[in-house]
Amino acid sequence: MKTLLKNIYYSFPVQLLLLHFRKSQMLQFFWLILFLVITGHFMKLFGADGLFLAPEYLGKVNAAGAALVGVAAGIYIMAWNITTFIVHSARFRFLAATTNPFLKYCLNNSIIPLIFLVVYFFKAYQYSTDNELISVGNFVLMALAFTGGLLVLHVISFAYFFTADRRIVRKIKPGVISFNDDDDDEEIITHEKSQFQPFGLPVRYYVGGIVKFRKARNVSHYSQGFLDDIFKQHHFSAMMTVLIAFICMVFIGFFMDNRFFQVPAGASIFVMFALMIAVMGALSYFLKSWGLLFLAILYIILNVLYVYNIIDPRNKAYGLDYSRTNRPGYTLASLDSICTPAKEEADKANMIGILNRWKTRQHEEKPLLIMMNFSGGGLRGASFSMNVLQQLDSATGGNMMRKTFMMTGASGGMLAAAYFRELCRLRDEGLHINPLDKKYLNNISDDLLNSVFSSWITRDMIAPTQKFSYNHNSYVKDRGYAFEEKFNDNTGGLLNHELGFYKSYESAASIPLMILNSAVTRDLKKMIISTQPVSFMMKPGYIDSTSKVAGPDAIDFAALFRNQSPMKLRLLSALRMNATYPYVLPAVWLPTEPVIDVMDAGLRDNYGQETTLRFLYTFREWINENTSGVLILQVRSRQKGSWEAKYKGSSFADVVIRPFSMLQTNWFRMQDYFQDDEITYAQSFLKDSLKRVAYMYTPIKEQYGASLSFHLTASEKKEVNMSLRRENNVSAFEQVMHILKRH
């Protein structure tokens, strides 16, 4: 038994496994991330597990998507094998005396990949049947497709290495060495001085076939130069394999606009990890201890090129003029100049004119002023908001948009708001469109994440810069562009307009005024995008001695960029700026001096209430004289309070991490606390009643809630739809209908 245990311990698979944990921790990190993701222990809230376990391709979870992920998984596994083979080849020189050394290495290096695949198929079965509501038969078909893609990639790779082996054999003199695995005789190299190198793994046995174990041959009598020559030939073949994969990704990047090349996000992540492993391995092998210095020099070079505008990876707002002439300054003086008292009064007068036109469209002498606020939350927020809007429109006989004066908010909720508003506008213009049709709910719920991730890998990270033209300006195609194009495709091109297209409609109050926001990352000032001048929204109502120093806390986008054609901004870009979740979508930089960039509106106001209350305060006198009160309809994709979540007990790691994670975890709760106080104060300046009714997405159990991402599974879509029937939302509908009847 002792001998058996020793033989197992000193077998090649076990020694390789130990070697990886001793010497390749950074490469093992990628495996750790993948294991955590597919088991739901990392980024589950954002739906990362579903990207791998139920891949979507061409709008459906199907066998084709599974096959593509299988191929990508094969690329990742092969890249890991190739990289570790190159880095650690000097430690297992006995392979030089075997046939097909790389195949032997892969067989012995398969412990981690096999464990991963077993866990993957187990979790994929659970996820597909529970979350995507896929039948067992369809899952088996997808599993076979995944396995087929994995095997095809490996067959092609090994076929290439087999030809490499034959080339190596032809280069070696006949009779110098035997490449027969069954040959136990030691053949001596006579033309070179043999040398013994004790450095290496203490291997006794290795896997020589599917169920065959062979004894490792002693190669100490072969010269180091001879062994190095054999491994160098394999290193070259390995590098060529990685290069071919890289070229394929560049090729895909050039055709990303074609939906057939928009591969599942899980496949993109596998390939990204594969390339990262290959780069890390190459740096380690070729530069060894100089790798860190090389990265530092590379960073300095890239930074110099970026500073002098030789390279510019930043994302732009499509339609805005980025020429270097007449760029506005981002300074206190510049911001003050666009919200002077005279300009504020002129902008207020313009808005009061719109309010009066809205009033004339109502049937009451003093109508109820309805303001809609939508929260962020990816497609969960978009789907829930669309559901609420359709139900409200149905309950009011198609008059909800006519009764509503303003819509504002953040991220996913505003995607649905803009889409539904446009559907109602087209209906009112006589087109045969029924905004209540469930196909529009399906459209807004369709996947956006796969195209974003695919573009991130193939365009942002790999492929050479590609450009497109919009309104005679040139912009770079990146994941921001991919997001807009996919959203445009999902919504049938209905929102593919310039911002200024809606100016006359909003001015006439024939559609609700829409205010889109984003947050300036430099100082978290709110960037307000509207077709109407809104300088009166740039400052809070209370002014004191510090105001001259602090300046405005919000910016009228159209006023600041008056020389950059702000009304030509693509509406899809404005919506994306409103929904730019960090890292998932690129921050949008704006042409100011100095340059600023903006991100998701949720960083400042995830619910839109701050914007609404400032508007109400500004026009409080008109509201008190001309309306019967204000109703704020808040559509939330997050639970307020979230008391159902169990508080996790403290641990040592929690003590270290909590000071950093506390703010992120409670960011939206803090907004709730502040805004509840704000609405309390708002009641003091509105003569008649101010009411707020909130529709809130509430899952059956918090752990089963829909993910906060741009992808929803079939069960998540069903769950979001069912949420509207839950007690809190049924009560909200009853409250709204009661308020509308009274007014």
Side-chain angles (χ1 to χ4, degrees), residues 355 358-372 392 396 399-406 616 622-633 686 688-693 735-743:
L355 284 164
W358 170 83
K359 181 183 176 183
T360 60
R361 290 172 55 84
Q362 312 306 310
H363 299 304
E364 301 86 4
E365 181 181 352
K366 283 193 172 185
L368 179 69
L369 183 69
I370 298 178
M371 315 286 276
M372 286 192 178
L392 284 172
T396 57
N399 290 320
M400 198 65 212
M401 287 295 98
R402 178 177 57 81
K403 294 175 177 291
T404 302
F405 179 77
M406 189 173 82
L616 294 177
W622 186 93
I623 293 170
N624 287 330
E625 292 177 6
N626 294 276
T627 72
S628 60
V630 177
L631 171 62
I632 298 177
L633 293 178
L686 292 176
D688 291 302
S689 61
L690 168 64
K691 295 182 174 61
R692 182 181 70 180
V693 179
Q735 283 181 265
V736 170
M737 298 311 298
H738 178 70
I739 293 170
L740 291 177
K741 287 179 181 179
R742 288 181 55 193
H743 293 270

Side-chain angles (χ1 to χ4, degrees), residues 626-692:
N626 294 276
T627 72
S628 60
V630 177
L631 171 62
I632 298 177
L633 293 178
Q634 190 177 71
V635 184
R636 303 170 55 101
S637 66
R638 288 176 178 269
Q639 285 184 269
K640 190 172 182 178
S642 298
W643 279 105
E644 291 185 11
K646 294 182 180 179
Y647 180 80
K648 296 181 180 179
S650 297
S651 64
F652 180 76
D654 193 54
V655 171
V656 176
I657 296 172
R658 183 167 293 276
F660 301 99
S661 63
M662 176 269 298
L663 186 61
Q664 178 184 358
T665 304
N666 295 301
W667 188 267
F668 299 115
R669 290 192 181 97
M670 290 194 301
Q671 291 188 16
D672 271 329
Y673 301 152
F674 296 150
Q675 293 183 8
D676 283 347
D677 273 342
E678 287 176 346
I679 202 166
T680 301
Y681 304 145
Q683 290 179 326
S684 65
F685 61 75
L686 292 176
K687 182 175 64 177
D688 291 302
S689 61
L690 168 64
K691 295 182 174 61
R692 182 181 70 180

Side-chain angles (χ1 to χ4, degrees), residues 337-357 503 507 531-537 556 559 615 618-619:
S337 69
I338 60 174
C339 60
T340 61
K343 188 173 189 314
E344 286 185 16
E345 289 304 316
D347 293 353
K348 286 180 183 178
N350 175 73
M351 190 59 67
I352 288 176
I354 298 174
L355 284 164
N356 286 327
R357 287 188 284 277
K503 186 172 183 177
S507 183
T531 65
Q532 306 301 316
V534 288
S535 62
F536 53 82
M537 297 284 288
D556 183 348
F615 184 93
T618 302
F619 298 101

Side-chain angles (χ1 to χ4, degrees), residues 307-351:
V307 168
Y308 288 96
N309 293 312
I310 298 173
I311 59 173
D312 188 1
R314 297 173 296 187
N315 180 270
K316 299 178 181 178
Y318 309 142
L320 204 62
D321 184 4
Y322 280 79
S323 60
R324 295 184 175 278
T325 58
N326 297 321
R327 285 190 178 183
Y330 191 75
T331 62
L332 176 60
S334 177
L335 297 185
D336 279 340
S337 69
I338 60 174
C339 60
T340 61
K343 188 173 189 314
E344 286 185 16
E345 289 304 316
D347 293 353
K348 286 180 183 178
N350 175 73
M351 190 59 67

Side-chain angles (χ1 to χ4, degrees), residues 598-610:
V598 295
M599 295 182 70
D600 199 297
L603 292 173
R604 171 77 179 263
D605 179 13
N606 192 53
Y607 307 106
Q609 186 172 288
E610 182 184 72

Side-chain angles (χ1 to χ4, degrees), residues 378-620:
L379 287 190
R380 183 175 88 183
S383 180
F384 184 67
S385 297
M386 192 68 174
N387 233 322
V388 170
L389 286 167
Q390 287 186 329
Q391 292 293 330
L392 284 172
D393 195 66
S394 175
T396 57
N399 290 320
M400 198 65 212
M401 287 295 98
R402 178 177 57 81
K403 294 175 177 291
T404 302
F405 179 77
M406 189 173 82
M407 308 171 86
T408 188
S411 195
M414 290 304 290
L415 298 180
Y419 187 37
F420 189 79
R421 185 184 73 158
E422 176 63 9
L423 290 171
C424 292
R425 184 189 72 82
L426 294 173
R427 176 192 61 188
D428 294 343
E429 289 194 342
L431 274 71
H432 296 292
I433 286 181
N434 177 15
L436 305 185
D437 195 318
K438 290 303 179 184
K439 71 179 181 180
Y440 299 119
L441 175 61
N442 294 331
N443 290 347
I444 203 69
S445 305
D446 279 349
D447 173 76
L448 294 171
L449 196 58
N450 285 297
S451 59
V452 170
F453 265 98
S454 297
S455 181
W456 194 352
I457 304 305
T458 59
R459 281 179 174 158
D460 297 30
M461 297 182 64
I462 298 176
T465 299
Q466 302 171 56
K467 294 187 176 183
F468 72 102
S469 179
Y470 183 80
N471 276 345
H472 309 294
N473 293 310
S474 180
Y475 306 97
V476 173
K477 290 183 178 181
D478 59 6
R479 64 188 187 279
Y481 169 80
F483 175 87
E484 291 187 24
E485 291 301 295
K486 182 59 177 174
F487 183 63
N488 186 48
D489 181 61
N490 290 352
T491 53
L494 297 184
L495 296 174
N496 193 17
H497 297 295
E498 296 175 356
L499 183 66
F501 173 81
Y502 293 97
K503 186 172 183 177
S504 60
Y505 292 100
E506 291 187 354
S507 183
S510 60
I511 61 174
L513 176 71
M514 181 167 286
I515 293 182
L516 296 168
N517 302 302
S518 52
V520 179
T521 58
R522 180 184 295 258
D523 48 23
L524 277 190
K525 293 186 188 298
K526 184 180 293 186
M527 185 66 69
I528 304 174
I529 301 177
S530 173
T531 65
Q532 306 301 316
V534 288
S535 62
F536 53 82
M537 297 284 288
M538 290 179 60
K539 297 177 182 177
Y542 181 74
I543 303 296
D544 63 5
S545 59
T546 65
S547 300
K548 291 184 179 180
V549 179
D553 69 344
I555 305 162
D556 183 348
F557 174 86
L560 181 64
F561 297 104
R562 57 191 177 278
N563 297 320
Q564 281 70 40
S565 305
M567 289 299 110
K568 291 186 177 180
L569 175 71
R570 194 185 194 193
L571 176 63
L572 294 168
S573 289
L575 289 168
R576 175 167 61 88
M577 291 163 67
N578 190 260
T580 302
Y581 195 86
Y583 297 109
V584 176
L585 291 174
V588 179
W589 79 276
L590 299 174
T592 57
E593 296 291 348
V595 167
I596 59 172
D597 56 10
V598 295
M599 295 182 70
D600 199 297
L603 292 173
R604 171 77 179 263
D605 179 13
N606 192 53
Y607 307 106
Q609 186 172 288
E610 182 184 72
T611 300
T612 297
L613 293 179
R614 182 168 294 189
F615 184 93
L616 294 177
Y617 179 81
T618 302
F619 298 101
R620 59 192 181 278

